[in-house]
Amino acid sequence: MQGQNLTSGPIPKQLWSLAWPMMLSMFFHSLYNLVDAFWVAKISASAIAAVSISQIILFIMISLAMGISVGTSVLVGQNIGAKKIAIAERVLGQGFLLTIIAALLFTLFIYSFRNEFLIISGAVGDILPLATPYFTVITAGSVLTFLMMMISISYNAQGDNFTMTKLFALSTMTNMVLDPIFIFGYAGFPALGIAGAAYATLISQAVFIVLALRLLMKPTMMVPLHLKYLQLSWSSVKKVIDIGLPASLNQVLNPLGFSALMFLVSATFLEAGAAAFAIGFRIEFFAFIPAIGFGFAAMSMIGQNIGAGNHDRVRAVLNVSVWYGSGSALLFSLLVLIFAPYIVGIFTVDPLVTEYALQYFRIVPLGYLFFAVAFIEASIFQGIGKSWPGFWITFARIGIALAISVISINVFALEIWTVWIAIVVGSVIASLFGLLWLKRALTSAQHEEQQPDSNLGTEEVLP
């Protein structure tokens, strides 16, 4: 049977077996945008700006898709742990149908107001006519992005992330091959320009979806997808939304927080400050990959063990995932601190930008460990079916950083290094606060287990 029973066995081995394929999948998925940017940049500077602006709005789409996927995944995992496979299959089918409905609604809304959204995002002058065809094609095929997220999280709930890694790698290679062919018109194809990058992305996503669905519908899967279960039941849909809505909002908070800090920094310290912040954030993304990998691995393990009532194992998963995630983040932060001058030198030779960026890399990496813990905490909250605490942990982390930054700059007129310190302080306070909250929540979940239908809430989907 394809998948893993995560309710028994060595926790470190299982956690790692789920985490490293997720990290690789994230790496391959991020290459979609990098490959598009590489080839589109050969057209013009405005073309690369058009793609970047379009992807800001598309990130919101991914966040919405992530919410539905997480909600479905948690319920599937809990039912696997409770050995209620028939209910898990029905929940999975409902999740896919809900994903398709949400994608169609999103497509209709965004497509109808695509020019307005692009203008609000900064597509002005020569950028708008370039961004419009790319954004139009990607938006029209947004159902593929929604399905990719749903499929990926569905495999994660069943303890099988390695299959996703292989499919993401194949999909990324497909995109790499098709991008130059469609953009510049090689091999007898017409030159589609920037829209060609969008078509290449959609085709590569379709390859992923077709192959993944064929495997997911096989009876050898722990929880196979059955077309007959593509139906909605309000009770389980409500449960998916209860878990998924705050998960979606949690995903949106990070880019919004980054944008707010970027606005503050650029308004006060002009282009040099904005450039330094952008350099730091690009490198910082790689520090987040282990945290996200271990976070999703923990969410899968927590879901199954909550369903099985293994609360001692749930606490053990919490401890191991925090140690692994924070240890990986600590290692990366040490590397950044050591090689900071070389990293900055790759991006700039401007003296002021270099000074600001070096300050960033000497301060912000001190908070990588706490950011990792905060992300894992949010994922574990999702695993036990309570996503709002994870949202508030992220909100606290970003809100504290913004509040300290605004006060230090506008009230005390301090230098840019206070913004870097604010980012660290926000992560430290939010992660410690979240850890205390999570331990109380796990104790509460153990007490609730004694009440019928308290943690799954999905029995109503049975005929």
Short mmCIF file of all heavy atoms in Angstrom, two decimals, residues 11 48 52 99 108 140 199 224 228 231 240 366:
data_model
loop_
_atom_site.label_atom_id
_atom_site.label_comp_id
_atom_site.label_asym_id
_atom_site.label_seq_id
_atom_site.Cartn_x
_atom_site.Cartn_y
_atom_site.Cartn_z
N ILE A 11 9.94 8.06 15.31
CA ILE A 11 9.49 9.40 14.93
C ILE A 11 10.55 10.16 14.12
O ILE A 11 10.22 10.74 13.08
CB ILE A 11 9.07 10.19 16.17
CG1 ILE A 11 7.79 9.59 16.75
CG2 ILE A 11 8.86 11.67 15.84
CD1 ILE A 11 7.35 10.21 18.05
N ILE A 48 10.33 41.39 -17.38
CA ILE A 48 10.58 40.73 -16.10
C ILE A 48 9.77 41.38 -14.99
O ILE A 48 9.27 40.71 -14.08
CB ILE A 48 12.10 40.74 -15.75
CG1 ILE A 48 12.36 39.90 -14.51
CG2 ILE A 48 12.61 42.14 -15.55
CD1 ILE A 48 12.05 38.45 -14.65
N SER A 52 6.92 39.56 -12.55
CA SER A 52 7.02 39.68 -11.09
C SER A 52 5.75 40.25 -10.50
O SER A 52 5.26 39.77 -9.46
CB SER A 52 8.21 40.57 -10.73
OG SER A 52 9.42 40.02 -11.21
N THR A 99 -12.11 22.29 -4.10
CA THR A 99 -10.98 22.96 -4.75
C THR A 99 -11.35 23.44 -6.14
O THR A 99 -11.03 24.58 -6.54
CB THR A 99 -9.78 21.99 -4.83
OG1 THR A 99 -9.33 21.69 -3.52
CG2 THR A 99 -8.64 22.61 -5.62
N LEU A 108 -13.10 33.42 -12.29
CA LEU A 108 -14.12 34.34 -12.77
C LEU A 108 -13.91 35.74 -12.21
O LEU A 108 -13.99 36.74 -12.95
CB LEU A 108 -15.51 33.82 -12.38
CG LEU A 108 -16.71 34.68 -12.79
CD1 LEU A 108 -16.78 34.79 -14.31
CD2 LEU A 108 -18.00 34.11 -12.23
N ALA A 140 -6.53 32.15 -16.36
CA ALA A 140 -7.48 31.25 -17.02
C ALA A 140 -7.22 29.80 -16.64
O ALA A 140 -8.15 28.98 -16.60
CB ALA A 140 -7.42 31.43 -18.53
N TYR A 199 2.00 29.78 -20.95
CA TYR A 199 1.56 28.51 -21.55
C TYR A 199 2.47 27.36 -21.13
O TYR A 199 2.00 26.24 -20.87
CB TYR A 199 1.52 28.63 -23.07
CG TYR A 199 0.34 29.40 -23.60
CD1 TYR A 199 0.51 30.63 -24.24
CD2 TYR A 199 -0.95 28.91 -23.47
CE1 TYR A 199 -0.56 31.35 -24.73
CE2 TYR A 199 -2.04 29.62 -23.96
CZ TYR A 199 -1.85 30.84 -24.58
OH TYR A 199 -2.92 31.54 -25.07
N PRO A 224 -7.31 6.25 -1.63
CA PRO A 224 -7.42 6.58 -3.05
C PRO A 224 -8.52 7.60 -3.31
O PRO A 224 -9.47 7.73 -2.52
CB PRO A 224 -7.74 5.24 -3.72
CG PRO A 224 -8.39 4.45 -2.64
CD PRO A 224 -7.76 4.88 -1.34
N LYS A 228 -16.67 8.97 -7.54
CA LYS A 228 -18.03 8.92 -7.00
C LYS A 228 -18.18 9.75 -5.74
O LYS A 228 -19.30 10.07 -5.32
CB LYS A 228 -18.45 7.48 -6.73
CG LYS A 228 -17.63 6.80 -5.64
CD LYS A 228 -18.09 5.36 -5.43
CE LYS A 228 -17.28 4.65 -4.34
NZ LYS A 228 -17.73 3.26 -4.14
N GLN A 231 -18.59 14.98 -4.27
CA GLN A 231 -19.87 15.53 -3.84
C GLN A 231 -19.63 16.30 -2.55
O GLN A 231 -18.64 16.07 -1.85
CB GLN A 231 -20.88 14.41 -3.61
CG GLN A 231 -20.36 13.31 -2.68
CD GLN A 231 -21.30 12.14 -2.57
OE1 GLN A 231 -22.25 12.22 -1.79
NE2 GLN A 231 -21.07 11.09 -3.32
N VAL A 240 -13.64 21.81 6.80
CA VAL A 240 -12.51 22.17 5.94
C VAL A 240 -12.27 23.68 5.97
O VAL A 240 -11.13 24.16 6.08
CB VAL A 240 -12.74 21.68 4.50
CG1 VAL A 240 -11.72 22.30 3.54
CG2 VAL A 240 -12.67 20.16 4.42
N LEU A 366 19.94 35.82 13.59
CA LEU A 366 19.77 35.43 14.99
C LEU A 366 18.33 35.00 15.28
O LEU A 366 18.08 34.32 16.27
CB LEU A 366 20.16 36.60 15.91
CG LEU A 366 21.60 37.10 15.79
CD1 LEU A 366 21.82 38.32 16.69
CD2 LEU A 366 22.60 36.00 16.14
#
